[in-house]
Amino acid sequence: MRVAVIGGGGREHTLVWKLSKSPLVDEIYALPGNGGIEEIAECIDIKANDTEGILKFTKDIDIVVVGPEEPLSLGIVDLVGKYRGFGPVKDAALMESSKAFAKDLMGRMNIPTAKFDVCRVKEEALLKIKGREFPFVIKASGLAGGKGVFMVENESEAKRKIEELMVERALGGAGKEIVIEDFLKGEEVSILAFTDGKHFLPLIPSQDHKRLLDNDKGPNTGGMGAYAPVPFLSDDDVESIIDRIFEPAVYGLKKEGIKYKGVLYAGLMITDDGPKVLEFNVRFGDPESQAILPLMQSDLMELILATIEERLGEMRIDFNNGYATCVVLASSGYPGKYEKGKEITGLEDVKDAVIFHAGTKRVEEKFFTNGGRVLGVTAMGDTLKDSIEKAYTEAEKIHFDGVYMRRDIGRRVGSKQ
Ligand code: AMP
Ligand code: GLY
């Protein structure tokens, strides 16, 4: 089978790495891929949001696996065909590309989430913040690459944010509509499940670390590291999350005439009142995939085909015992401005971990930084603590000018295990 993976980050390297182990897969192409992917697949210089280019290149490709949200929200699966593309069609991708759409659906289907208001004009937003308890959260409804969520502590901050998003359009069209919601406290967890619109096969739960600095301080990023599985959720907890959150979401879409196929990702806060949805994503998580997929025994290609062909009811997913931790190495300045083109050394010294490239470029035999999140180093261990220690021992062998990593990935939960 000839497979194309769309995207060029750490998640896509992980997908290509896992697909390359499948006996069903003969050839893999990555559009555009990255320096690390180049070692195991053919990289084609077509950007993930170039839907025309993707359509043209994949004419003779059997299956197109879509990594990032942008091409999904642009309708890439509608274009390549829903029996060839892996991921939801454009209307279903609204679950991520419009937080207003997702929240309205959660409201209709009684899915547990923070109390919210969707506001379409500034005056409405100003009305909805009156008398609301601080802190609360203001979110741009559209795609903002993880930069559209703001916690506000007082009225003037809230008004300023509303003005910035809805009037000044600091995030462009993404802030035309906003969601205002209550602040939730608890542990954050990412639950990902394959679904063919009828059946649900959950992956092991994982925990991302979204903030830049240790102890969850600093700005939000795409994710600075993740581990899986989370020891504080049982299989029964995950089953109940599928029943109370995933099923109503997918059935709610079906009622609107939209069939959801692909991976659905719920970002949850485990509160004192149970799990509540922070957001839905319509794809694999990054860096969650870098922690989950190395533990997966099952053949990823088989699961992708079963999803597309709506046969998930006859499938199961098996995972190895133990834990995996992925530590992200980032460029100094990320998630703001950063420099590229720094030589990366020490990769060959890493023996006890898998290196997933994100923002890298290969020039002959050397690797250079080419993005904000540069690499993910994933190590496995019998306990969460073992996997954390190993991931850091290995990650420290890698150097580039300005390398930055959080030092506490998994440690808060790992130290209690
Ligand atoms: P989102 O893109 O909606 O998942 O938001 C990004 C991050 O902001 C989440 O991963 C949480 O860490 C945080 N966040 C979002 N919504 C809330 C909320 N209602 N209460 C507390 N934290 C939140
Ligand atoms: N790790 C967060 C995301 O994939 O959106």
Side-chain angles (χ1 to χ4, degrees):
M1 223 166 216
R2 305 175 77 217
V3 180
V5 173
I6 310 303
R11 162 185 51 211
E12 287 75 24
H13 190 183
T14 316
L15 290 170
V16 169
W17 171 84
K18 185 68 183 157
L19 286 169
S20 71
K21 300 181 184 302
S22 169
L24 297 169
V25 176
D26 302 306
E27 287 172 38
I28 312 181
Y29 298 87
L31 286 61
N34 62 35
I37 294 177
E38 222 176 288
E39 301 204 303
I40 48 172
E42 190 172 330
C43 291
I44 309 292
D45 191 16
I46 294 174
K47 292 208 166 61
N49 61 5
D50 176 4
T51 48
E52 295 258 310
I54 295 171
L55 188 59
K56 228 181 196 166
F57 178 80
T58 56
K59 254 190 349 278
D60 301 320
I61 295 285
D62 298 307
I63 297 292
V64 180
V65 179
V66 188
E69 59 277 19
E70 195 183 2
L72 292 167
S73 73
L74 294 172
I76 191 65
V77 173
D78 310 60
L79 288 171
V80 302
K82 56 180 189 260
Y83 292 102
R84 218 157 58 89
F86 177 74
V89 292
K90 185 176 181 176
D91 285 350
L94 279 171
M95 288 291 274
E96 178 165 359
S97 60
S98 169
K99 287 188 193 287
F101 175 90
K103 275 289 192 179
D104 282 337
L105 181 92
M106 287 186 251
R108 277 201 304 284
M109 298 305 293
N110 254 327
I111 295 173
T113 188
K115 277 229 304 275
F116 68 96
D117 290 293
V118 172
C119 304
R120 294 183 166 90
V121 290
K122 174 185 153 184
E123 292 66 30
E124 194 185 2
L126 293 176
L127 219 60
K128 296 296 181 189
I129 62 170
K130 281 219 171 93
R132 212 180 186 108
E133 199 182 314
F134 290 101
F136 58 80
V137 182
I138 298 183
K139 300 182 175 185
S141 176
L143 292 182
K147 298 193 179 100
V149 174
F150 308 92
M151 199 178 81
V152 291
E153 307 273 1
N154 56 53
E155 194 172 314
S156 70
E157 244 181 68
K159 284 184 172 162
R160 182 80 220 106
K161 217 21 106 182
I162 291 168
E163 186 74 18
E164 251 173 57
L165 290 172
M166 302 186 90
V167 182
E168 295 162 17
R169 295 288 169 89
L171 294 174
K176 194 166 73 148
E177 289 180 332
I178 62 167
V179 172
I180 301 177
E181 68 179 33
D182 289 357
F183 180 79
L184 298 177
K185 272 202 226 112
E187 281 288 344
E188 253 186 272
V189 173
S190 305
I191 303 285
L192 285 71
F194 286 92
T195 177
D196 56 9
K198 282 188 287 240
H199 307 99
F200 298 84
L201 273 188
L203 299 166
I204 47 176
S206 57
Q207 187 170 53
D208 185 15
H209 295 62
K210 290 230 165 72
R211 302 290 201 95
L212 179 68
L213 307 174
D214 285 9
N215 301 315
D216 296 329
K217 299 278 187 318
N220 265 335
T221 69
M224 295 302 296
Y227 69 86
V230 295
F232 54 86
L233 282 188
S234 65
D235 289 351
D236 285 350
D237 292 332
V238 174
E239 260 328 298
S240 118
I241 288 166
I242 296 292
D243 289 350
R244 293 186 50 215
I245 292 170
F246 282 70
E247 292 200 3
V250 168
Y251 293 150
L253 287 171
K254 202 181 272 172
K255 278 201 202 160
E256 311 287 314
I258 302 169
K259 183 181 266 182
Y260 192 105
K261 295 204 294 184
V263 165
L264 182 61
Y265 159 154
L268 305 175
M269 192 70 92
I270 310 298
T271 70
D272 290 343
D273 294 334
K276 296 193 176 174
V277 178
L278 295 172
E279 64 167 345
F280 281 112
N281 293 322
V282 296
R283 48 169 176 83
F284 285 102
D286 187 343
E288 288 92 330
S289 305
Q290 289 88 308
I292 296 171
L293 293 180
L295 288 171
M296 195 168 99
Q297 274 172 9
S298 308
D299 182 330
L300 176 60
M301 195 63 213
E302 276 184 22
L303 289 162
I304 287 176
L305 290 175
T307 304
I308 291 178
E309 293 162 9
E310 299 173 29
R311 297 185 282 102
L312 272 183
E314 60 193 55
M315 304 294 291
R316 48 179 282 166
I317 311 187
D318 294 313
F319 285 91
N320 293 326
N321 291 328
Y323 293 81
T325 299
C326 171
V327 175
V328 169
L329 279 63
S331 298
S332 129
Y334 173 79
K337 270 206 184 124
Y338 53 83
E339 289 178 16
K340 296 181 184 177
K342 311 287 183 196
E343 187 177 347
I344 305 167
T345 58
L347 294 168
E348 61 290 345
D349 299 327
V350 173
K351 305 276 188 241
D352 213 5
V354 197
I355 302 170
F356 294 117
H357 290 232
T360 72
K361 194 173 173 162
R362 191 170 75 160
V363 182
E364 287 160 7
E365 292 312 304
K366 289 184 173 174
F367 291 96
F368 296 87
T369 66
N370 195 38
R373 288 190 292 175
V374 176
L375 298 162
V377 175
T378 299
M380 259 88 64
D382 291 340
T383 64
L384 176 54
K385 209 159 167 252
D386 286 348
S387 73
I388 296 168
E389 297 312 328
K390 218 187 275 178
Y392 277 104
T393 305
E394 297 298 310
E396 264 152 32
K397 296 177 180 168
I398 302 172
H399 301 283
F400 55 86
D401 194 15
V403 59
Y404 169 74
M405 62 182 123
R406 263 181 73 157
R407 296 280 157 185
D408 64 340
I409 303 302
R411 290 206 202 271
R412 189 185 60 248
V413 171
S415 64
K416 286 188 221 141
Q417 204 193 1

